[in-house]
Amino acid sequence: MDYRSGCQGEVFLPGSKSIANRALLLSALAEGTTVLENMLDSNDTQHMRAALRALGIEVIDRVSTQEGGARTETVVVGGGGLFNAPTTSNEQPLALFLGNAGTAMRPLTAALAASQGEFLLHGEPRMHERPIGPLIDALRQLGAEIDYPEQDGYPPLQIHGRALTGGQVRIDGSLSSQFISALLMVLPLLPQRSEVVLTGTIVSAPYIALTVAMMRHFGAQVEWPEPHRFVIAGGQVYRSPQQYWIEGDASSASYFLAAAAIAGGTITVHGVGTESLQGDKEFAKVLAQMGAEVDYQPRSIAVSRGVQPLRGGDFDLNEIPDAAMTIATTALFAKGPTAIRNIYNWRLKETDRLHAMATELQKVGAEITELEDAIIITPPLEIQHAEIATYDDHRMAMCFALLAFTPAGVTILDPDCCRKTYPHFFQDFLALCRLPQNP
Ligand SMILES: O=C(O)C1=C[C@@H](OP(=O)(O)O)[C@@H](O)[C@H](O)C1
Ligand SMILES: C=C(OP(=O)(O)O)C(=O)O
């Protein structure tokens, strides 16, 4: 079988991790009850849901049937403001384990710094290697009391929650946009007006716009007069929109869209399209630049293989760091080299993704130049079979799945690590792709 003739179908995407964890937090802080439809059921959102329950918020998961099958929906009974932690029986801080979920650790740090109670936020060993200093520095400017029990600048964190008033704050956004998102979400609930100035070169910028859009959807006023400055009135309340549909995950969409660009046939992903709030919807435009045919609709994207073979290119993918990993493995199927630039913060995520990617791509025969903030990939004449290590990084597992389209196939070690954001990924992927060994 021609390995390039193998994909066809429709994918009803699981909910976006980024939107799900923001929606859970905003619903918990809001007045009123919110039904979150198309909830992502994965480790990252389970950590957020468990943490909210431990904080005394009622969070009920139930099953609903939708186009695309049974989905979880989550009902959150909002607390109408910042948290008031239940006291622990032994007068110890309330310990919240947040796995390796950046979208739980960073926003909860900001919310709990301004809440009542003593908290210990911790996670998996890798979470304790991922920086959080710029967020803590910003919160301390507002009077927050946060200690580092182990290493300065990294979780675990001991948070002595206290009423913060708001005010002027500068925050460095050069390592992660999540610090800015976390800070912004808490500011409307403080009594006084805040003004936030972003410093450093901002990374992953679309995630900040996503945060602002969702804060507004939950009733907060956010002024964004200049790219690096926000003004947020104090004394606001978040209001439940009652029902909130969580878009499909645009990063998860990338594996299916790339599969169609490589293997032929057409794949349509439902749940993300031109109307999407997620920056990763731009991923398919990169595929188009490489030669794929792309059709954007308001809530879906379809990709087919182009007439000409895929070609490499030189891309600055700072705005789509997660989907950018999928371009790295797609590059193996393109003519000529591909450069992915301005991705230093790959090094700060589930693993040092720049180094992990370089190491594993070399195993299949690619020639790799690994720079401090970029990777240049020259595909081999023939992709070799290899055992791909995944470094407990869901995206390493999912983007290397594309190598199943080579005659040599691929072995992916610990594929279950995709439970962080997409527990059923391999079932969904194999169902759509007629692979050489699965004609
Ligand atoms: O705010 C978010 O939901 C996210 C922001 C990005 O992180 P950085 O801002 O750290 O690049 C992204 O990689 C992560 O998966 C989700
Ligand atoms: C970087 C990621 O996760 P986190 O939200 O933990 O930063 C990711 O999902 O690729």
Side-chain angles (χ1 to χ4, degrees), residues 17 100 102 130 178 322 349-350 353 394-395 420:
K17 166 202 76 170
N100 194 7
R130 299 179 66 188
Q178 291 182 13
D322 295 355
K349 297 182 186 275
E350 280 74 341
R353 286 177 167 170
H394 54 139
R395 297 202 195 283
K420 186 173 190 283

Side-chain angles (χ1 to χ4, degrees), residues 251-259 262 283 287 321-331 340 346 357 395 398-399 402:
S251 320
S252 300
S254 69
Y255 314 110
F256 299 103
L257 298 177
I262 291 165
F283 169 80
L287 289 181
D322 295 355
M325 290 179 76
T326 315
I327 294 297
T329 48
T330 305
I340 304 175
W346 271 20
M357 186 61 80
R395 297 202 195 283
M398 295 190 284
C399 67
L402 295 172

Side-chain angles (χ1 to χ4, degrees), residues 17-18 22 103 175-178 204 207 321-322 345 349:
K17 166 202 76 170
S18 295
R22 283 168 173 78
T103 54
L175 298 182
S176 170
S177 68
Q178 291 182 13
S204 309
Y207 290 96
D322 295 355
N345 69 348
K349 297 182 186 275

Side-chain angles (χ1 to χ4, degrees), residues 159-329:
I159 300 179
H160 313 284
R162 46 174 297 185
L164 306 180
T165 48
Q168 302 282 328
V169 50
R170 293 169 69 79
I171 182 164
D172 178 358
S174 61
L175 298 182
S176 170
S177 68
Q178 291 182 13
F179 306 149
I180 298 160
S181 291
L183 177 68
L184 291 176
M185 282 192 278
V186 81
L187 294 180
L189 303 179
L190 307 188
Q192 285 176 18
R193 173 185 182 273
S194 295
E195 183 175 348
V196 181
V197 173
L198 311 186
T199 64
T201 307
I202 305 308
V203 294
S204 309
Y207 290 96
I208 302 173
L210 169 63
T211 304
V212 171
M214 290 189 64
M215 289 170 68
R216 288 179 175 152
H217 194 91
F218 278 75
Q221 284 177 24
V222 182
E223 290 173 49
W224 194 353
E226 295 158 59
H228 288 76
R229 197 165 71 91
F230 294 87
V231 179
I232 301 186
Q236 304 192 51
V237 282
Y238 284 118
R239 289 188 210 288
S240 163
Q242 301 189 350
Q243 305 265 109
Y244 187 89
W245 178 70
I246 297 170
E247 292 178 7
D249 194 302
S251 320
S252 300
S254 69
Y255 314 110
F256 299 103
L257 298 177
I262 291 165
T266 300
I267 290 200
T268 306
V269 295
H270 294 276
V272 58
T274 49
E275 274 179 5
S276 171
L277 299 174
Q278 299 167 76
D280 275 7
K281 70 180 173 190
E282 299 297 313
F283 169 80
K285 293 187 185 163
V286 185
L287 289 181
Q289 289 179 59
M290 295 176 81
E293 282 178 20
V294 177
D295 178 27
Y296 275 94
Q297 295 297 323
R299 282 197 179 193
S300 66
I301 306 174
V303 168
S304 323
R305 193 176 61 195
V307 181
Q308 300 293 327
L310 290 175
R311 51 187 178 273
D314 198 318
F315 305 113
D316 178 338
L317 298 186
N318 185 276
E319 296 207 334
I320 57 164
D322 295 355
M325 290 179 76
T326 315
I327 294 297
T329 48

Side-chain angles (χ1 to χ4, degrees), residues 366-380:
E367 193 190 306
I368 300 296
T369 306
E370 179 190 339
L371 303 171
E372 189 58 6
D373 67 346
I375 186 166
I376 302 167
I377 302 149
T378 304

